[in-house]
Amino acid sequence: MARIWLLVLGLCMYSLSYTSAQQGGTECLKANAKSCGECIQAGPNCGWCTKVDFLQEGEPTSARCDDLAALKSKGCPEDSIQNPRGSKEKLKDNAITNKAKGERMDPANITQIRPQQLRFELRSGEPQTFNLTFRRAEDYPIDLYYLMDLSYSMKDDLENVKSLGTALMTEMEKITSDFRIGFGSFVEKTVMPYISTTPAKLLNPCTTDQNCTSPFSFKNVLNLTSDGRLFNDLVGKQQISGNLDSPEGGFDAIMQVAVCGEQIGWRNVTRLLVFSTDAGFHFAGDGKLGGIVLPNDGKCHMHDNMYTMSHYYDYPSIAHIVQKLSENNIQTIFAVTEDFQPVYKELKNLIPKSAVGTLSSNSSNVIQLIIDSYNSLSSELILENSKLPEGVTINYKSFCKNGVIGTGENGRKCSNISLGDQVQFEISVTAHKCPKKDQTESIKIKPLGFTEEVEILLKFICECDCQQSGTPDSPDCHHGNGTFECGACRCNEGRIGKKCECSTEQVSNEDMDAQCRKENSSEICSNNGDCICGQCVCKKRDNPNEVYSGKFCDCDNFNCDRSNGQICGGNGICKCRVCECFPNFSGSACDCSEDKSTCMASNGQLCNGRGVCECGRCKCTDPKFQGQTCEMCQTCAGVCTEHKECVQCRAFQKGDKQAVCNDECFHFNYTMVDSRDKLPQPGQADALTHCKEKDADDCWFYFTYSVNANSEVHVHVVKDPECPSGPDIIPIVAGVVAGIVLIGLALLLIWKLLMIIHDRREFAKFEKEKMNAKWDAGENPIYKSAVTTVVNPKYEGK
């Protein structure tokens, strides 16, 4: 039985692998690949068979491209299958720096992210995955540039900012020992209608009693420096200016701060830009009001620390600002008043790694605002990547603090990160097609606001190794009309055919069509293909698993006999409309199983010895028997009933067959046993039946009937039958008498109970009639009263 189960399991696995190969090969067949390179780009499971005689007659060259399992099942040796795989290699993987607070290090030598550089070889549809690790370095240097609106409404704010340098230095020392601060200011474009261009207003845009400086667009007052007192001195000399409209030209200033890194003095460290204002902002398109239509070019135009092209270029767009801030790793803190909080919160949603803080009316809380915003920004990590090459996708999965896992867009970021916390990202890169030109590209991934990045060098696998060893102008391709590579001809321009034997001008030649007809047939390629160069190239069907083949496309793999709705019953392969059955199956539809395990009866015999096993089913030789293993007989006596007379006469010398016992009952051997426990049990004999029968004396006798593999019958009989004993008279009589007495007592009790109920009912009836009785109240005619009344006739009442 174990061998039978192994055989069945093997058949199931063979069938399953064949079915999965058919399904997996769908994308490969649909690609209609003409070369090995086209094949491997169709999908990660597609392979190309380089065996020269692999194709059947009528099969196109594209049939060499199929699922790996399908190619093997069609007879392509494993060493003839081209199936290049992608790979990955770490080129630079420096360990993350463990920097103690106060320890001075060159920022270029501090590593917070690993690995730093990789090389991927990508095959279409096959992702390459790596793990990126990030840990914030303690005491990491910070550059902070304070950009302030100096329009007239910010007059009281300027007074508080004048002492910002030293105070902020003191607070930031708690975070980093390497801190630098810079200062810049902005007002508005210096053209109408943003400012007044009258000579007097250009000198002093404020009222006559206020001393204001001339309007300007952006001014870099102080490059980034670690001298807090110098900050206080220079900022203390600044004066308020003025403009006409409410929105300010802050975007011009942000653009110059972002792109003029050398003039500002940015280092490759954490870069913070604090943008302080109490008004809104102009953006791209607003310059038309002043006749400025040229889009902002996103370049540095600083001369003597002043932005000199505000009158020439329009304001930058929000997207342009986002791009430049990201490219230069600048994190922005918008310190704005309560009235403009909604506007700048919407802007924050468009600018990654930015924060909004509420500025008091006189900027007195600016230091706490900067500290809180910096802590908020540094606790969140967001990964971004450079522009992806065409056909390449990237997928992120984050493993953050406290076991939080993010996928999709949330897979790019982690929140609530503290100093020393380490987080990981699982990043997968997948190519879906090969680039049109260069086969090498690169992707850069970096955390927003950080200068460090991971560079991935991409090389695309677009051709097979066998294409490198192809033979140009090969004699195997009809006198050198093509390149013989990967087992097939790749024809030169203007040539077609499997061997490049025809030119495109010869395709519709009548003589060639004749070679594509079967004898006595007018159909070209059996109407299942096209005649190209005198050879049939069979058509493809909508279902790529259904294939025409043969010299005249007269064969197919889908018109074979079916069983249970499946071609070849699912137990074979259809080749040229004939089923080739798997092992242990036969028949035109492979519906006949040669496995006899289903015919095996419980007694270990095939069909209980009453039939033959055909196609996995019992065919009973005796028509009175039926059932899956010929075990049922509606008109037959059971084994026990059939043999009980012979057992009686052999074992006990009695019964109906005692006279003919020697003639009819010597077809079995018997053994006497002492008790029923000594009878053989199931498993001790090949085919065993336990019997219990009555003899002529109404005694029960027990025996077993078994048939071994040699069809020998053996009977085991319990030597002492179980006879019923006679009845015990005394208990029976006592029981009858007791029953009569009990029944009598029960009847008396019932009678007494009925009488009591009857008497109570009669008494209640009497009482009721007594209460309802009515007596006559008339006078008795013979009754005489004892009182006599006499009246004096003369009495007049006086």
Side-chain angles (χ1 to χ4, degrees):
M1 287 297 289
R3 284 187 304 220
I4 293 172
W5 278 111
L6 285 171
L7 182 60
V8 171
L9 180 61
L11 288 173
C12 292
M13 293 299 292
Y14 181 85
S15 176
L16 180 62
S17 64
Y18 177 75
T19 303
S20 63
Q22 282 187 320
Q23 293 173 344
T26 300
E27 62 179 3
C28 310
L29 295 170
K30 281 185 177 180
N32 197 26
K34 299 295 191 298
S35 68
C36 185
E38 292 180 13
C39 177
I40 63 174
Q41 293 180 50
N45 297 317
C46 297
W48 177 273
C49 184
T50 61
K51 186 181 178 184
V52 176
D53 57 350
F54 172 70
L55 296 178
Q56 300 180 32
E57 273 193 302
E59 281 194 298
T61 303
S62 60
R64 291 182 178 274
C65 180
D66 207 339
D67 183 88
L68 303 178
L71 290 176
K72 292 176 184 177
S73 68
K74 291 177 182 178
C76 186
E78 189 166 353
D79 58 358
S80 296
I81 298 177
Q82 287 284 306
N83 179 36
R85 310 310 301 177
S87 64
K88 59 187 176 185
E89 178 187 4
K90 291 181 180 179
L91 302 179
K92 189 177 180 182
D93 188 20
N94 296 334
I96 292 176
T97 304
N98 291 316
K99 180 179 181 295
K101 188 169 183 179
E103 181 184 356
R104 286 284 181 174
M105 289 184 67
D106 185 349
N109 296 327
I110 298 176
T111 301
Q112 300 179 101
I113 189 171
R114 66 179 301 191
Q116 293 81 40
Q117 190 178 47
L118 303 100
R119 180 190 291 119
F120 283 177
E121 289 192 358
L122 296 178
R123 176 176 169 179
S124 292
E126 182 186 29
Q128 293 296 328
T129 303
F130 75 100
N131 290 327
L132 182 150
T133 304
F134 177 87
R135 187 175 70 217
R136 277 182 59 196
E138 189 173 357
D139 198 28
Y140 194 70
I142 299 174
D143 283 355
L144 183 146
Y145 193 84
Y146 196 94
L147 182 59
M148 183 174 181
D149 175 9
L150 285 189
S151 60
Y152 187 76
S153 58
M154 294 286 286
K155 180 181 178 181
D156 54 346
D157 300 79
L158 180 60
E159 295 301 320
N160 286 311
V161 174
K162 288 179 180 179
S163 60
L164 176 66
T166 51
L168 187 58
M169 281 281 184
T170 303
E171 289 296 323
M172 293 302 287
E173 283 177 357
K174 300 175 183 177
I175 299 174
T176 177
S177 60
D178 188 358
F179 175 71
R180 299 197 312 165
I181 189 171
F183 184 82
S185 58
F186 67 91
V187 181
E188 187 55 276
K189 288 185 180 294
T190 55
V191 296
M192 283 286 289
Y194 312 109
I195 65 168
S196 174
T197 56
T198 61
K201 288 295 183 181
L202 286 175
L203 292 175
N204 184 2
C206 304
T207 57
T208 55
D209 58 337
Q210 297 291 335
N211 187 20
C212 296
T213 190
S214 300
F216 56 92
S217 178
F218 165 66
K219 180 194 301 182
N220 176 33
V221 177
L222 176 64
N223 292 349
L224 290 163
T225 178
S226 57
D227 189 348
R229 289 189 176 85
L230 180 60
F231 180 94
N232 292 348
D233 293 341
L234 289 178
V235 174
K237 297 175 182 178
Q238 300 304 303
Q239 290 182 311
I240 291 296
S241 185
N243 61 322
L244 296 179
D245 62 342
S246 176
E248 315 294 2
F251 273 19
D252 274 341
I254 291 176
M255 177 62 75
Q256 294 304 300
V257 171
V259 299
C260 297
E262 292 184 6
Q263 290 86 339
I264 302 297
W266 290 117
R267 297 178 295 172
N268 284 330
V269 297
T270 299
R271 299 175 176 180
L272 299 178
L273 170 61
V274 179
F275 182 86
S276 175
T277 184
D278 64 350
F281 49 84
H282 284 297
F283 53 89
D286 288 353
K288 293 179 180 179
L289 295 173
I292 303 172
V293 296
L294 197 63
N296 195 289
D297 64 352
K299 295 180 180 179
C300 181
H301 297 287
M302 296 281 290
H303 183 68
D304 291 337
N305 288 324
M306 297 288 289
Y307 177 38
T308 58
M309 301 297 286
S310 67
H311 63 288
Y312 190 75
Y313 290 113
D314 193 5
Y315 301 99
S317 65
I318 295 175
H320 204 177
I321 289 288
V322 171
Q323 177 191 352
K324 293 303 178 180
L325 289 174
S326 177
E327 286 179 0
N328 293 281
N329 307 307
I330 297 174
Q331 304 176 62
T332 310
I333 300 172
F334 295 104
V336 297
T337 54
E338 184 70 34
D339 294 341
F340 287 91
Q341 282 286 309
V343 174
Y344 283 90
K345 283 183 178 178
E346 290 295 327
L347 182 60
K348 167 191 171 296
N349 295 333
L350 301 174
I351 302 179
K353 289 293 281 185
S354 62
V356 177
T358 303
L359 192 66
S360 62
S361 58
N362 58 2
S363 296
S364 58
N365 67 331
V366 67
I367 294 179
Q368 191 59 45
L369 185 154
I370 292 172
I371 298 297
D372 293 343
S373 298
Y374 169 74
N375 289 333
S376 173
L377 288 172
S378 59
S379 67
E380 184 177 46
L381 181 70
I382 302 175
L383 294 184
E384 68 166 0
N385 52 265
S386 59
K387 185 179 179 181
L388 298 174
E390 186 179 2
V392 175
T393 58
I394 191 168
N395 183 62
Y396 294 86
K397 185 177 182 180
S398 60
F399 300 88
C400 306
K401 189 177 177 180
N402 299 324
V404 177
I405 298 176
T407 56
E409 281 303 309
N410 290 329
R412 291 175 173 266
K413 55 188 175 183
C414 283
S415 301
N416 301 319
I417 302 173
S418 304
L419 281 174
D421 290 340
Q422 183 167 295
V423 294
Q424 279 197 336
F425 295 85
E426 184 181 273
I427 304 175
S428 298
V429 180
T430 308
H432 299 281
K433 64 178 182 179
C434 282
K436 296 178 181 178
K437 296 180 181 180
D438 192 4
Q439 291 188 353
T440 58
E441 297 277 359
S442 68
I443 301 173
K444 292 183 179 179
I445 301 173
K446 68 174 183 178
L448 280 174
F450 292 83
T451 58
E452 295 177 69
E453 63 186 15
V454 179
E455 183 181 27
I456 306 174
L457 304 177
L458 304 180
K459 182 180 179 182
F460 298 88
I461 302 174
C462 300
E463 292 186 352
C464 302
D465 293 339
C466 59
Q467 290 180 267
Q468 306 299 325
S469 57
T471 307
D473 304 325
S474 171
D476 293 327
C477 300
H478 197 266
H479 309 300
N481 287 320
T483 301
F484 189 79
E485 62 182 26
C486 304
C489 285
R490 181 162 55 87
C491 299
N492 297 334
E493 189 175 353
R495 304 297 297 186
I496 55 175
K498 283 188 178 180
K499 299 292 184 181
C500 310
E501 62 270 30
C502 293
S503 70
T504 53
E505 299 171 357
Q506 297 174 305
V507 173
S508 58
N509 188 299
E510 291 186 7
D511 292 336
M512 290 186 177
D513 288 349
Q515 299 177 40
C516 297
R517 297 190 186 98
K518 294 175 71 174
E519 287 188 35
N520 301 321
S521 174
S522 61
E523 295 178 344
I524 296 176
C525 299
S526 305
N527 286 335
N528 295 325
D530 299 316
C531 186
I532 298 177
C533 298
Q535 291 184 345
C536 286
V537 177
C538 303
K539 295 178 182 176
K540 289 188 176 182
R541 291 175 59 84
D542 292 338
N543 183 351
N545 293 324
E546 298 179 355
V547 179
Y548 288 114
S549 61
K551 182 178 179 180
F552 301 104
C553 299
D554 51 344
C555 292
D556 62 59
N557 66 346
F558 53 88
N559 274 320
C560 291
D561 291 343
R562 294 173 180 258
S563 177
N564 296 324
Q566 292 182 293
I567 297 174
C568 301
N571 301 318
I573 302 173
C574 181
K575 290 187 176 181
C576 204
R577 303 183 181 181
V578 176
C579 286
E580 289 188 5
C581 301
F582 297 148
N584 253 21
F585 289 94
S586 60
S588 63
C590 300
D591 53 349
C592 181
S593 171
E594 296 178 2
D595 179 16
K596 296 184 178 180
S597 63
T598 54
C599 298
M600 195 68 67
S602 58
N603 60 12
Q605 290 183 301
L606 283 176
C607 303
N608 278 297
R610 300 170 183 143
V612 293
C613 186
E614 295 181 356
C615 296
R617 296 178 182 176
C618 284
K619 185 176 182 181
C620 304
T621 53
D622 190 337
K624 66 182 179 181
F625 288 97
Q626 57 184 332
Q628 185 176 355
T629 56
C630 302
E631 73 278 11
M632 294 186 298
C633 177
Q634 302 294 339
T635 59
C636 298
V639 171
C640 298
T641 305
E642 183 180 351
H643 297 286
K644 79 171 187 175
E645 296 297 337
C646 283
V647 172
Q648 279 189 85
C649 78
R650 291 284 302 278
F652 304 110
Q653 293 79 43
K654 58 183 177 181
D656 295 342
K657 288 191 176 184
Q658 188 175 358
V660 293
C661 191
N662 292 335
D663 299 328
E664 298 182 6
C665 297
F666 269 82
H667 60 280
F668 62 87
N669 297 320
Y670 77 96
T671 302
M672 302 297 290
V673 298
D674 293 334
S675 65
R676 292 167 59 184
D677 296 337
K678 300 294 180 64
L679 290 174
Q681 299 301 317
Q684 297 177 356
D686 293 329
L688 183 69
T689 303
H690 279 262
C691 299
K692 175 184 176 183
E693 296 291 337
K694 267 189 178 182
D695 62 11
D697 299 327
D698 267 351
C699 296
W700 293 102
F701 67 97
Y702 298 89
F703 65 94
T704 60
Y705 183 92
S706 62
V707 182
N708 63 18
N710 298 322
S711 298
E712 296 175 350
V713 180
H714 199 95
V715 176
H716 289 76
V717 187
V718 178
K719 66 180 181 180
D720 295 323
E722 291 182 359
C723 296
S725 58
D728 193 345
I729 300 299
I730 294 175
I732 294 175
V733 172
V736 172
V737 171
I740 293 172
V741 172
L742 290 173
I743 292 172
L745 289 173
L747 291 173
L748 287 174
L749 289 173
I750 292 171
W751 176 82
K752 182 63 177 175
L753 179 63
L754 293 174
M755 292 302 296
I756 291 172
I757 293 172
H758 176 72
D759 290 347
R760 287 183 177 179
R761 285 180 177 176
E762 289 297 319
F763 181 76
K765 183 177 179 182
F766 169 76
E767 288 291 331
K768 184 177 180 181
E769 289 178 350
K770 179 181 176 181
M771 295 294 295
N772 293 334
K774 295 182 180 180
W775 304 98
D776 190 5
E779 290 187 3
N780 191 347
I782 63 173
Y783 172 74
K784 294 292 185 179
S785 176
V787 178
T788 302
T789 303
V790 179
V791 179
N792 187 353
K794 296 293 184 178
Y795 180 68
E796 296 179 353
K798 296 181 179 178

